[in-house]
Amino acid sequence: MSIHIPLLIGFLPGFLFLVYLINSKGVSYSKIFTISLEGIKKTRGVIYILLLVGFLLPSWYLSGTIEQLVTVSLHLIAPAYFLMLSFIVASVFSMILGTSVGTLSAVGIPIMSTGISIGHQPEIIAGALIAGAFVGDRTSPFSSAHQLLAHTLEISVKEQFKAMLPTTLISIVLGIVFFSLLDAYYQEGLLGATYVNDLKKLSFITFIPPLVLIGIVLVRIKILYAFILSISSACLIALYKLTTISELSHALFFGVEGMGGGFINMYLLLLFLGLAGAYNGLLEEYKIIQSFLDEWLATSFSLFADTVKTMIATTLIAMIAANQTLPIILTGRSFLSHWKHRYSNAELSRVMGDSTMLVPGMLPWSVLAIMCSTIVGVPLLSYLPYAIFLWLLPLLTIGISLLKVGKAFKRETVNY
């Protein structure tokens, strides 16, 4: 919970100063309040989803779903392909949970301890796990960051997923090759022992919550209802397994120790999102920074140039904000009109998905990076060279933008 306190308090003076500037230009406080409320309404949908995400992990934990998914995952990891399979398991887990921190909390510690016990270097295991954890954090329809980006860019989750798919698939394939090569290189000297678990204890009933979540999304019902039904089914299973209502309520409110979740760990972030929504509502209405951005972007005449400028801007915002949320909102709302006019929402979604969503994971002072580093017990700068998904995607998206410029130029030359 304390992680988000500086974020909220640190942002409040900037918001109040913005209100003062607008009021000094003759705009009444009632008008400012009305516009702020409109800005908050724009983030209302993602606030609801984030609230439900806070309940997802505790409910799945008490129902036994998390433990069972970990058991199956560790059973599939063979020592000869440990790093590659760790990357794949973390990727699959993160696509289901939609959170890097939740994924690392669930499978990070057992996989780290298993890998170290058979002789792998901690920083390489951590790199594989964190690379996989960010696959879902960025790409999963269940990810709060993915939802926030889609909402900010006024694009459906389905369209956004399709826009991100090319770079996602390329980076995952290259990640598998990368970790397979590392497995082959470090094969000599590894011990033969691996994690032992009992698959006989598996129960179909504990798979119901993730199956409900995935199934409802696949039949194109609103993701809000998918979360509600998945959480409800997990709570019923937990009660069936003799978890008391008091224990269930405590977990939903306070979260699970070592894994997070719970209302208490989310409400400050939700307040921050509301405040950020109000802030952006005022910025958009009175075009506080839009004129500067328009002037800066006016000198760009290609998708490649706009891609680079957008990535520079979002990196600077991330370096100052030290979190994932504010860069998504500020970059998205500030650059949306330019990209919508020249290209499309989907193109901006691809560029931001390959940069804005990942840069905070590479900054040592970022909240997200600190949490990931703390869970795996390895410093960021030690595992970052092996966390290929984080630094490969920005390079890929620049390359794709450059390729599209080349294709467009070739078409124009042929037509000419």
Side-chain angles (χ1 to χ4, degrees):
M1 178 179 67
S2 59
I3 285 173
H4 298 303
I5 292 176
L7 193 62
L8 181 66
I9 294 176
F11 192 64
L12 188 58
F15 175 75
L16 294 176
F17 182 66
L18 179 63
V19 169
Y20 167 75
L21 284 178
I22 294 172
N23 178 252
S24 66
K25 292 183 177 181
V27 181
S28 67
Y29 284 116
S30 60
K31 177 69 173 174
I32 292 172
F33 180 73
T34 301
I35 294 167
S36 297
L37 279 181
E38 289 300 315
I40 294 172
K41 285 179 182 178
K42 289 183 178 180
T43 62
R44 184 173 53 189
V46 77
I47 287 174
Y48 292 154
I49 291 172
L50 272 173
L51 178 63
L52 292 173
V53 167
F55 296 144
L56 189 73
L57 281 176
S59 63
W60 281 23
Y61 178 81
L62 290 179
S63 68
T65 299
I66 298 290
E67 182 183 359
Q68 189 155 287
L69 288 173
V70 171
T71 298
V72 173
S73 300
L74 290 175
H75 183 80
L76 297 173
I77 297 178
Y81 311 102
F82 189 87
L83 298 173
M84 183 264 287
L85 290 173
S86 295
F87 170 67
I88 291 174
V89 165
S91 300
V92 172
F93 232 90
S94 65
M95 287 299 294
I96 295 172
L97 295 181
T99 161
S100 55
V101 173
T103 297
L104 293 173
S105 300
V107 299
I109 295 173
I111 289 179
M112 282 294 298
S113 59
T114 303
I116 292 169
S117 70
I118 64 174
H120 273 297
Q121 296 178 32
E123 58 270 22
I124 304 179
I125 309 168
L129 287 170
I130 289 169
F134 270 89
V135 171
D137 195 277
R138 162 195 173 273
T139 318
S140 171
F142 312 129
S143 163
S144 57
H146 188 89
Q147 290 280 336
L148 178 61
L149 181 62
H151 192 83
T152 302
L153 300 184
E154 300 171 3
I155 186 174
S156 71
V157 171
K158 183 181 178 182
E159 285 180 281
Q160 178 165 277
F161 185 83
K162 286 172 65 178
M164 292 182 178
L165 196 57
T167 51
T168 303
L169 293 177
I170 293 170
S171 58
I172 289 175
V173 170
L174 291 176
I176 290 172
V177 172
F178 178 72
F179 290 113
S180 296
L181 292 173
L182 287 176
D183 274 320
Y185 183 79
Y186 290 104
Q187 186 65 43
E188 191 174 339
L190 292 181
L191 302 176
T194 188
Y195 189 89
V196 178
N197 50 53
D198 187 5
L199 294 182
K200 293 179 181 178
K201 295 180 180 179
L202 296 181
S203 168
F204 172 75
I205 193 174
T206 51
F207 281 123
I208 290 176
L211 290 175
V212 167
L213 186 66
I214 296 168
I216 290 176
V217 171
L218 289 177
V219 296
R220 300 183 181 181
I221 297 175
K222 281 188 178 180
I223 195 166
L224 195 69
Y225 301 131
F227 275 112
I228 292 171
L229 290 174
S230 179
I231 293 165
S232 300
S233 64
C235 289
L236 290 173
I237 292 168
L239 293 172
Y240 172 75
K241 291 188 171 185
L242 303 181
T243 301
T244 65
I245 293 177
S246 174
E247 290 171 335
L248 181 60
S249 302
H250 184 275
L252 292 174
F253 191 81
F254 291 101
V256 177
E257 188 175 352
M259 287 192 69
F263 176 77
I264 202 72
N265 290 310
M266 295 297 291
Y267 82 95
L268 285 170
L269 178 59
L270 300 179
L271 288 175
F272 168 73
L273 269 176
L275 191 63
Y279 184 85
N280 277 282
L282 294 173
L283 286 180
E284 287 182 7
E285 180 69 20
Y286 296 103
K287 304 187 185 303
I288 305 295
I289 62 172
Q290 198 61 49
S291 57
F292 167 75
L293 287 175
D294 289 342
E295 187 177 336
W296 187 47
L297 292 171
T299 58
S300 300
F301 298 101
S302 71
L303 176 61
F304 172 72
D306 282 332
T307 297
V308 172
K309 286 188 175 182
T310 301
M311 291 175 70
I312 290 172
T314 201
T315 300
L316 291 173
I317 294 170
M319 290 174 72
I320 296 168
N323 70 87
Q324 197 181 40
T325 306
L326 192 58
I328 291 174
I329 297 173
L330 276 184
T331 308
R333 299 310 302 178
S334 300
F335 284 81
L336 179 59
S337 59
H338 175 82
W339 280 79
K340 187 187 275 188
H341 174 69
R342 283 200 177 181
Y343 313 106
S344 68
N345 304 49
E347 285 286 8
L348 180 57
S349 177
R350 169 182 63 83
V351 172
M352 288 186 64
D354 293 342
S355 56
T356 311
M357 307 274 273
L358 302 172
V359 168
M362 295 185 279
L363 299 174
W365 58 90
S366 163
V367 171
L368 185 58
I370 291 169
M371 292 175 73
C372 292
S373 176
T374 301
I375 294 169
V376 297
V378 179
L380 180 141
L381 295 179
S382 296
Y383 69 69
L384 188 57
Y386 305 102
I388 184 171
F389 193 80
L390 288 173
W391 47 261
L392 180 62
L393 274 167
L395 299 176
L396 280 176
T397 211
I398 289 174
I400 284 181
S401 291
L402 189 59
L403 188 65
K404 288 186 175 183
V405 170
K407 285 183 176 179
F409 178 76
K410 189 177 289 186
R411 281 198 301 269
E412 289 176 8
T413 305
V414 171
N415 292 334
Y416 182 77

